[in-house]
Amino acid sequence: MAEAHQAVAFQFTITPEGIDLQLSHEALRQVYISGLRSWKKKFIRMKNSFITGVYPASPSSWLFVVIAILATMYTRSDPSMGLIAKIQEHLPVSQSLSVQCQTVVSAVLFSTLLWLSLIFTMRLCLKQLLSYHRWMFEQHGKMSNTTKVWVALVRIFSGRQPLLYSYQGSLPNLPVPAIKDTLKQYLESVRPLMSASEFERMTKLATQFENTLGNRLQWYLKLKALWATNYVSDWWEEYIYLRGRSPIMVNSNYYGMDFLYVTPTPIQAARAGNTLHAFLLYRRKLNREELKPSRVPGTVIPLCAAQCERMFNTTRIPGEETDTVQHWQDSDYVAVYHRGRYFRLWLYKGGKMLSPREIELQIQKILDDPSPPLPGEEKLGALTAGDRVPWARTRKQFFSSGVNKRSLDCIEKAAFFVTLDDDEHGMMGDDPAASLDRYAKSLLHGKCYDRWFDKSFSVVVYKNGKNGLNAEHSWADAPVVAHLWEYVLATDSFQLGYNEEGHCKGDVDPNLPQPQRLTWDIPSECREQVSQSLAVAQALADDVDFHVFSFRDFGKGRIKKCRLSPDAFIQLALQLAYYRERGMFCLTYEASMTRLFREGRTETVRSCSNESCAFVKALEGGEDTELCRRLLRLATEKHQHLYRMAMTGAGIDRHLFCLYVVSKYLGVESPFLKEVLSEPWRLSTSQTPVQQVELFDLVNHPEYISCGGGFGPVADDGYGVSYIIVGENMINFHISCKHSCTQTDSHKFGAQIRQALLDLLALISPDQRDPTRGGKTQAKKDL
């Protein structure tokens, strides 16, 4: 194996004449280049840390302050009001310097202290400015004078050309809501879901909690909020994700799809070449902090970028009680799976990133490799798809030493995981709708053993050139991964491109080493556990009922013309669809971000409100059209208010969750919290944001439409609904549920959503008539 010999920098042989030392110049060169690349990265990190540390000032501003102070002193003025003289008196080297040099050194020290004080003051001012959220509650298009002044001040204190993490130190901490406010909002949210007697009982429990245990738990939370950067995020990651002992496949991981209508090349190796190269370009921008800080769309308000730190070189490590997330500073290869074999694919040579064409050729070598899987190797990935405890025990017993540990380390320390799938997927064939459903299920769980579900994300490249992504959830939320995926898709098609034959572009080094096969020694006992994990995962995968469809009748353009929020409109349609199917309302989860705060992740918007229920009942009860329109607007306004409250740290579910965690630490029981935390979310929803609109020119390239992504159902008898608003005229839906529940059906629910959207638009736009409805004239709606 040539690559094995090259890895040895020197060899020595003892002969009668002495020691014969043989140096491998190529190996030493690679060691030198690798070290040089590592030191370059360390230098870039140090430089960026310094620039971020002094932001919103710039390093050059220090020189400006020094020159200004020295120039002022030259005019025989003392801007320090005697402080420079005091510094000069206490200089430790005062006797070895002339008086003039002492004065200059003292002035430089004073200037530096003044500069640091100004930075601290600017950061404090910016942090206070970013704590102002009243702008979000103002009517669209009508900005108050206070907000106008605030916007101007934010621009002034934000500095210029920020790096990715420049705003981190200026973001406010997530506030702890008042117990009274949280309980009031909670009772309001469950009122439409309970009978009068149930609501009265819950009100008594809430009052009892507020008057007894609540204030004690709240005191501990406030103490944590003063000490920690974010009082929610670490507990949320640990208790919601890492301590879960059930499979993360389907239950936690989520996926992202390729373009809906376009496949840039039908050549699998070529698509993989461009895709992997685009990931490396993104990682380089990430490491250099060259990515622009994410902001609230249409504003100058920055969002927290902390989740980006563990995007690459990250793996979830199983444990018997709790998992951990392990992140490495760098990795110059990816782990590749193809036909039951695992490979290490180097993506750098001589410190230089491989070109797309070179990666394509390396991928083709893997595709052409005829070697069979080693015993127990083919379905090894099923361990990451099954229950966590057996995987943790198996890992400890069979992968703690020897060849198995080396190969497992190779996978876990890889930049990310790649699966070269022999299946073909996408919207194709005689039944494109069914093919999209199969495509979604493939990305969500695959064959249950051909993905490594513990990696931060796994890229799947299909035989026909389609691709997709499966992401582990504990380290980051979907918008962060969506930002990465948008960049990769756009870079693949619009920057890298392909030649006329569909192959990647770029030069090729003929001396690239072969991709390295990973070797394993899997005993029969371990294979038995693999089979058991596969059986658990397969049963879970087979139970998933998935439906993906594009709604093209109208989009956010029509909705906005009716002066309604597109998201609120869709959420109201989901409430109407669920009520029509089940004849009842349910606790509804919509994910909202809290990244306006440092290390913020998500908060819950309880979309099923009194206002939404009142509207649905009125519409289905045949009430007057004008009344229904008024109730519709009230419902959408209420939803927008709830969403804004969640974004600004005034949500209730994370607060209740943390109160529950504190109660467990203290060893006290709360009947109220226990009941609240056990309520099932039968309708779990999320919008996938389109963030990098500058990368996709949908006007000139309307076929390059992202299909979005989805996730599995949260409740056994409920639905998971993900949607992405694409352009002005399309909304893509991803609906999941379980076959084992006789009350749910993803296709029927999709039809109900489609009809609900049409009916809402017909209601709010009387000039539009729904051709599918004969008797009633109902109308479509605009957001």
Side-chain angles (χ1 to χ4, degrees), residues 238 436 547 727:
E238 180 179 357
L436 274 181
H547 181 44

Side-chain angles (χ1 to χ4, degrees), residues 399-411:
F399 297 89
S400 296
S401 61
V403 63
N404 289 345
K405 184 182 188 303
R406 289 194 295 272
S407 294
L408 181 62
D409 282 348
C410 179
I411 294 175

Side-chain angles (χ1 to χ4, degrees), residues 33-293:
I33 291 174
S34 178
L36 187 63
R37 176 170 171 263
S38 177
W39 279 105
K40 280 183 178 179
K41 287 195 170 186
K42 288 180 181 178
F43 174 76
I44 291 172
R45 276 195 290 267
M46 289 175 58
K47 182 192 74 172
N48 289 341
S49 295
F50 177 72
I51 294 174
T52 299
V54 302
Y55 197 82
S58 63
S60 59
S61 64
W62 172 82
L63 186 61
F64 174 81
V65 173
V66 171
I67 292 174
I69 294 296
L70 290 175
T72 307
M73 292 181 65
Y74 184 74
T75 61
R76 299 189 180 279
S77 299
D78 185 5
S80 70
M81 294 182 291
L83 287 177
I84 292 178
K86 288 286 185 183
I87 294 173
Q88 188 172 345
E89 291 177 9
H90 295 86
L91 277 179
V93 291
S94 57
Q95 295 181 355
S96 60
L97 296 175
S98 66
V99 175
Q100 188 174 6
C101 286
Q102 292 178 31
T103 304
V104 171
V105 171
S106 301
V108 170
L109 288 174
F110 171 77
S111 301
T112 303
L113 292 173
L114 177 62
W115 180 64
L116 293 174
S117 300
L118 289 173
I119 291 171
F120 177 78
T121 303
M122 290 179 69
R123 276 197 171 189
L124 190 62
C125 290
L126 183 58
K127 192 169 188 175
Q128 292 301 314
L129 288 170
L130 294 178
S131 300
Y132 172 83
H133 298 130
R134 197 177 303 168
W135 61 274
M136 195 175 291
F137 295 89
E138 293 179 350
Q139 188 175 348
H140 184 67
K142 295 184 179 180
M143 187 183 297
S144 67
N145 291 330
T146 302
T147 300
K148 289 178 181 178
V149 172
W150 170 77
V151 170
L153 289 174
V154 169
R155 291 183 185 276
I156 291 172
F157 284 96
S158 290
R160 297 186 303 169
Q161 298 179 338
L163 298 176
L164 176 62
Y165 301 118
S166 290
Y167 290 110
Q168 291 301 102
S170 302
L171 291 173
N173 291 357
L174 183 68
V176 181
I179 281 276
K180 184 177 180 180
D181 294 339
T182 294
L183 296 180
K184 180 182 177 181
Q185 288 185 60
Y186 169 77
L187 291 173
E188 181 183 344
S189 72
V190 298
R191 182 66 189 91
L193 305 175
M194 294 181 174
S195 64
S197 59
E198 290 173 334
F199 184 72
E200 182 181 358
R201 184 184 65 84
M202 183 56 74
T203 302
K204 289 181 180 178
L205 284 176
T207 304
Q208 182 185 18
F209 173 74
E210 181 182 2
N211 295 332
T212 55
L213 186 59
N215 288 325
R216 181 186 174 194
L217 302 181
Q218 180 80 346
W219 184 86
Y220 281 97
L221 270 193
K222 287 184 176 180
L223 186 64
K224 184 187 179 187
L226 289 174
W227 177 256
T229 306
N230 190 296
Y231 80 94
V232 175
S233 294
D234 58 337
W235 285 350
W236 186 255
E237 178 177 309
E238 180 179 357
Y239 292 106
I240 297 300
Y241 295 115
L242 299 180
R243 281 188 179 264
R245 302 294 81 196
S246 59
I248 61 174
M249 183 198 78
V250 174
N251 294 326
S252 179
N253 286 29
Y254 53 94
Y255 68 85
M257 281 187 170
D258 196 2
F259 295 120
L260 184 60
Y261 300 119
V262 174
T263 305
T265 177
I267 302 173
Q268 184 179 19
R271 190 72 196 281
N274 265 10
T275 299
L276 268 59
H277 189 79
F279 274 115
L280 296 181
L281 293 176
Y282 188 94
R283 187 176 69 163
R284 185 167 65 185
K285 283 179 172 286
L286 183 66
N287 290 339
R288 296 177 178 179
E289 299 185 34
E290 294 173 351
L291 295 170
K292 294 180 181 178

Side-chain angles (χ1 to χ4, degrees), residues 290-561:
E290 294 173 351
L291 295 170
K292 294 180 181 178
S294 296
R295 302 178 188 272
V296 177
T299 73
V300 296
I301 311 305
L303 300 176
C304 179
Q307 294 179 50
C308 297
E309 295 173 359
R310 298 183 293 178
M311 185 174 290
F312 294 91
N313 329 318
T314 299
T315 296
R316 176 171 175 160
I317 305 296
E320 293 194 32
E321 292 186 2
T322 182
D323 294 354
T324 55
V325 177
Q326 182 72 48
H327 172 71
W328 291 269
Q329 283 293 337
D330 193 19
S331 179
D332 52 5
Y333 66 90
V334 292
V336 181
Y337 178 92
H338 177 244
R339 291 184 181 173
R341 294 96 37 91
Y342 290 90
F343 295 82
R344 183 207 301 256
L345 175 59
W346 300 99
L347 297 175
Y348 294 83
K349 186 174 188 294
K352 182 181 177 183
M353 189 188 304
L354 297 189
S355 70
R357 180 63 175 157
E358 288 174 328
I359 298 176
E360 177 189 351
L361 292 179
Q362 295 293 82
I363 291 290
Q364 192 61 53
K365 292 177 183 177
I366 294 176
L367 294 174
D368 295 340
D369 188 327
S371 60
L374 295 172
E377 179 183 16
E378 181 180 10
K379 299 179 181 179
L380 197 61
L383 291 169
T384 68
D387 291 320
R388 304 303 292 174
V389 174
W391 170 210
R393 292 172 179 169
T394 303
R395 185 179 189 275
K396 184 177 181 180
Q397 183 176 358
F398 301 108
F399 297 89
S400 296
S401 61
V403 63
N404 289 345
K405 184 182 188 303
R406 289 194 295 272
S407 294
L408 181 62
D409 282 348
C410 179
I411 294 175
E412 293 180 339
K413 294 180 180 180
F416 50 92
F417 192 80
V418 180
T419 294
L420 301 175
D421 203 309
D422 279 342
D423 294 334
E424 296 186 359
H425 281 289
M427 193 170 68
M428 58 187 186
D430 298 331
D431 191 353
S435 67
L436 274 181
D437 298 345
R438 292 191 295 270
Y439 182 23
K441 280 180 65 68
S442 174
L443 288 174
L444 185 65
H445 54 67
K447 297 181 179 70
C448 302
Y449 58 80
D450 55 350
R451 318 277 188 261
W452 201 266
F453 294 101
D454 287 351
K455 286 299 292 181
S456 55
F457 63 90
S458 299
V459 184
V460 184
V461 185
Y462 294 101
K463 189 176 182 179
N464 60 340
K466 275 290 179 187
N467 66 8
L469 173 144
N470 181 287
E472 200 275 317
H473 209 325
S474 65
W475 64 275
D477 300 307
V480 175
V481 177
H483 189 277
L484 163 69
W485 191 233
E486 285 176 21
Y487 177 90
V488 169
L489 290 178
T491 303
D492 171 20
S493 297
F494 298 113
Q495 293 185 28
L496 301 177
Y498 301 88
N499 62 25
E500 294 180 357
E501 291 79 27
H503 292 285
C504 296
K505 301 174 182 177
D507 299 326
V508 177
D509 182 346
N511 298 318
L512 292 176
Q514 291 285 333
Q516 179 187 351
R517 267 293 303 271
L518 301 187
T519 57
W520 310 87
D521 181 15
I522 311 297
S524 58
E525 188 179 350
C526 181
R527 290 181 222 169
E528 178 61 29
Q529 183 54 60
V530 170
S531 299
Q532 292 177 15
S533 294
L534 180 58
V536 170
Q538 195 65 59
L540 180 60
D542 292 343
D543 197 23
V544 175
D545 177 20
F546 228 103
H547 181 44
V548 180
F549 72 93
S550 294
F551 182 81
R552 303 183 185 89
D553 295 73
F554 62 89
K556 71 175 182 181
R558 292 290 303 279
I559 299 171
K560 283 186 173 180
K561 285 181 181 178

